[in-house]
Amino acid sequence: MADLWSQWLLHRRHADDPQLEQAVRAVIDRYIERVLDGAQLTAGQTLVDVGTGEGLVAFRAMERVGPTLRAWLTDVSEPMLRHAREQATERGVSGQCAFLHCPADRLEGIADASVDVVATRSVLAYVADKTGALCEFHRVLKPGGRISVAEPVFQDEAIAAQAIKAVIDSKPAEGVSPLMVLMHRWQAAQFPDTTEKIRVSPIANYSERDLVRFARNSGFVDLHLELHIDTLPAITHSWEAFIHTSPHPLAPPLSLIMAEQFTAAERELFERSMRPVIEDPKAVTTDRMAYLTARKPD
């Protein structure tokens, strides 16, 4: 059975649109290459791919390093772990893999000081106890072992939703643009829009600086973080594909938000206003990704 993680990764991330799926995969491949550059894996080592999803980090690492690399593929989602196991068999690398169903902050089944590298891609963003997860990474690493993680930074989206709400709340109802109200309704369904909601939201209550602090408090040294903010051409110009995607697994797609929270007249106004923006061939998007590497002391 599907869960919210597998539903998003295998379907909603690209709305089952083949062209969009190809574009999304190209973006993901770029993240993975950066993570593996930071991992500095060599022959004979053992990798833990935490929150493996489709197994892409581990499988690409095997392509880079070769048949002597061993990998633990862990995930909180049983459907995704089954999918990764099937992919390993199809790729002929199942003998290099061990699979573990567990959350990122409880890597039970992996022994202390037994692996060389821990890698993640868009995993800690969804973990409430990020320091706890990093302590687990520290525990399973051998002395001198490395972490290499890539995590999205969603704080700006939450701050933007909060700002729209503040504008609406500061004006009488008749003075607020109907489109602004709908924009807020959309954004608030996908990102927290108040200080309190941001504070308790795993996806929005941290910045790239917090990631450094969490890692340092977990015992890591030689920390290096790069925040990449890239303004890029939008990867979808199809309105239908756009409304059936969502920016992260915890967010409902725009199509569901419109169906449940907009009247028919509001849906018509929103599509009339926003569809040209999405379908504009010059549309751009902003990508914010933090890349962190660090080492467990010898």
Side-chain angles (χ1 to χ4, degrees):
M1 293 180 63
D3 58 10
L4 68 87
W5 308 105
S6 61
Q7 182 63 30
W8 188 79
L9 285 166
L10 300 178
H11 301 287
R12 200 169 73 237
R13 181 168 60 181
H14 48 76
D16 288 324
D17 180 288
Q19 184 175 353
L20 181 54
E21 182 178 14
Q22 185 176 6
V24 167
R25 183 55 56 89
V27 173
I28 293 169
D29 287 345
R30 188 176 73 246
Y31 299 151
I32 291 171
E33 294 300 328
R34 184 79 188 191
V35 168
L36 293 178
D37 287 346
Q40 299 180 10
L41 286 157
T42 58
Q45 289 191 325
T46 299
L47 164 72
V48 183
D49 178 8
V50 177
T52 189
E54 297 164 282
L56 299 179
V57 170
F59 299 148
R60 179 62 183 133
M62 292 170 191
E63 291 174 356
R64 279 188 171 205
V65 177
T68 64
L69 182 73
R70 296 292 180 267
W72 285 94
L73 287 75
T74 82
D75 208 285
V76 72
S77 167
E78 286 188 294
M80 288 313 304
L81 210 57
R82 287 195 299 271
H83 178 82
R85 191 187 298 271
E86 292 167 0
Q87 288 294 303
T89 299
E90 289 182 14
R91 293 168 180 260
V93 296
S94 56
Q96 295 175 247
C97 301
F99 299 88
L100 183 62
H101 177 229
C102 65
D105 55 355
R106 292 200 305 275
L107 301 179
E108 298 165 3
I110 303 179
D112 295 0
S114 63
V115 305
D116 300 285
V117 173
V118 175
T120 73
R121 181 192 60 79
S122 301
V123 173
L124 291 178
Y126 308 104
V127 177
D129 186 4
K130 293 174 175 56
T131 300
L134 285 158
C135 285
E136 273 291 87
F137 300 176
H138 190 278
R139 177 186 68 79
V140 302
L141 281 169
K142 299 174 183 176
R146 294 176 60 80
I147 58 169
S148 182
V149 307
E151 293 298 331
V153 180
F154 288 123
Q155 258 192 2
D156 283 1
E157 284 81 356
I159 291 170
Q162 185 180 29
I164 297 173
K165 175 176 170 57
V167 170
I168 293 172
D169 290 347
S170 69
K171 296 182 178 182
E174 61 273 14
V176 179
S177 159
L179 181 60
M180 179 177 286
V181 172
L182 299 180
M183 289 290 291
H184 172 254
R185 209 174 293 168
W186 167 30
Q187 294 298 306
Q190 295 185 334
F191 296 97
D193 67 338
T194 67
T195 300
E196 178 58 25
K197 289 178 181 178
I198 291 173
R199 187 184 68 80
V200 298
S201 168
I203 69 166
N205 66 0
Y206 72 96
S207 70
E208 67 283 356
R209 291 176 177 82
D210 292 317
L211 290 175
V212 173
R213 177 169 57 86
F214 298 152
R216 186 174 61 245
N217 291 346
S218 302
F220 287 99
V221 297
D222 297 342
L223 290 88
H224 177 72
L225 183 138
E226 295 182 12
L227 174 62
H228 290 206
I229 303 178
D230 297 304
T231 300
L232 305 165
I235 61 174
T236 179
H237 300 289
S238 161
W239 175 254
E240 287 303 317
F242 179 78
I243 66 173
H244 288 97
T245 63
S246 64
H248 58 82
L250 305 180
L254 177 55
S255 58
L256 183 62
I257 297 166
M258 291 194 296
E260 293 183 346
Q261 300 189 36
F262 291 16
T263 66
E266 288 172 336
R267 288 194 293 271
E268 194 279 330
L269 168 63
F270 189 79
E271 180 173 349
R272 186 174 70 248
S273 302
M274 293 303 300
R275 186 167 188 157
V277 176
I278 300 304
E279 294 183 343
D280 183 351
K282 296 180 180 179
V284 298
T285 186
T286 301
D287 181 70
R288 302 175 187 88
M289 185 68 71
Y291 296 93
L292 173 69
T293 59
R295 182 176 62 86
K296 180 177 179 176
D298 294 329

